[in-house]
């Protein structure tokens, strides 16, 4: 897929959302899972920045929980993609 990503944050671009809206069936499922994986990877990166740069202990605990949950979901979505 081309570089039409919503940036490093994992947010979907307008173009990606339009393509998803126009897809159906297996193509929709694949696009949805691929976009959600990217979105979750963005959350993991953001949480990792908290672990590296943050000082608030509650935010750091939350970041660790987010990383664990998002990685588990990424694994599940990759399994669904085959």
């Amino acid at each position: 897929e081309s570089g039409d990503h919503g940036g490093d944050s994992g947010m979907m671009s307008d173009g990606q959302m339009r393509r998803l809206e126009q897809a159906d069936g297996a193509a929709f499922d694949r696009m949805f899972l691929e976009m959600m994986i990217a979105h979750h990877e963005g959350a993991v990166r953001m949480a990792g920045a908290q672990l590296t740069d943050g000082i608030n202990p509650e935010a750091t605990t939350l970041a660790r929980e987010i990383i664990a949950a998002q990685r588990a979901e990424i694994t599940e979505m990759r399994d669904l993609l085959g």
Side-chain angles (χ1 to χ4, degrees), residues 17-82:
M17 291 306 293
R18 278 192 297 279
R19 285 194 301 279
L20 183 62
E21 289 168 355
Q22 294 169 357
D24 60 9
F28 178 91
D29 292 342
R30 175 162 289 283
M31 290 174 74
F32 172 79
L33 290 168
E34 289 171 349
M35 289 179 183
M36 287 305 297
I37 289 169
H39 183 69
H40 280 42
E41 288 171 340
V44 169
R45 282 190 298 276
M46 289 172 39
Q50 170 61 32
L51 295 181
T52 301
D53 300 323
I55 59 171
N56 182 301
E58 291 87 4
T60 298
T61 297
L62 178 60
R64 284 190 184 99
E65 292 169 0
I66 289 169
I67 290 169
Q70 298 291 286
R71 284 184 176 162
E73 291 179 10
I74 289 167
T75 297
E76 183 176 354
M77 289 184 283
R78 285 188 175 144
D79 288 348
L80 290 170
L81 284 172

